[in-house]
Amino acid sequence: MIDLAEDAPSNPLLRLGAQPIALTAAALLLLIAGVTSIAIWRAYTGAAPEPDRVVTSRQLQTRTAQASEQLVEKTKGLEATQQESIDQLQVVQDQLQTMRRLMAAQQADTKRLSEQVTTLNESIDNLRQSFASARATETETPSVTRRKPVHHRVHASARKRSRG
């Protein structure tokens, strides 16, 4: 004869599978016990992580917005400073151009005046040479002066008296 007890599986997991309602009930009890213990723990410590996360998130958003506004203000300040620097540089460049033009005009005037001085010096030298050569010729040849006839002298002296 065959024993019925031998036909039954000896594996304990298979025996649990035979009673699914009991297994489900045990899992449900464990789950309820876990949720209850978490709820008791939160109530006892007074810390609820969800509201803390929301508050922390809002604080981070506020800080981020403030930092963003500060960056925008600093960027605008930098842009204004950069524009002022560009304007000042343009003014300096314009002044430099004006100075260059004035310097070129002054150099042209200086060159023109220098040429005029050179021309005057040459003219003075020519006059000196001609004056020196004229004196040299006067000293070499005796001067022959023509005398005016007497009757011219008489008329000249009479004119002087009548005018005076």
Side-chain angles (χ1 to χ4, degrees), residues 73-88:
E73 289 175 13
K74 288 181 181 180
T75 302
K76 287 180 181 178
L78 286 173
E79 288 174 356
T81 303
Q82 184 180 19
Q83 187 61 42
E84 288 174 7
S85 297
I86 289 171
D87 293 343
Q88 289 175 353

Side-chain angles (χ1 to χ4, degrees), residues 74-148:
K74 288 181 181 180
T75 302
K76 287 180 181 178
L78 286 173
E79 288 174 356
T81 303
Q82 184 180 19
Q83 187 61 42
E84 288 174 7
S85 297
I86 289 171
D87 293 343
Q88 289 175 353
L89 181 62
Q90 187 64 40
V91 168
V92 169
Q93 286 177 341
D94 291 343
Q95 289 174 347
L96 182 62
Q97 278 296 92
T98 303
M99 293 301 291
R100 284 182 180 165
R101 277 189 240 120
L102 289 173
M103 188 100 142
Q106 190 175 23
Q107 286 175 346
D109 287 344
T110 303
K111 185 177 179 181
R112 182 180 50 82
L113 290 173
S114 176
E115 290 172 357
Q116 288 177 352
V117 166
T118 303
T119 304
L120 286 174
N121 283 336
E122 289 173 357
S123 297
I124 289 172
D125 287 342
N126 288 339
L127 285 173
R128 283 182 185 161
Q129 289 174 0
S130 66
F131 186 70
S133 66
R135 278 206 168 168
T137 57
E138 282 180 6
T139 57
E140 289 176 5
T141 62
S143 65
V144 176
T145 57
R146 289 182 31 195
R147 290 189 170 206
K148 292 182 182 177

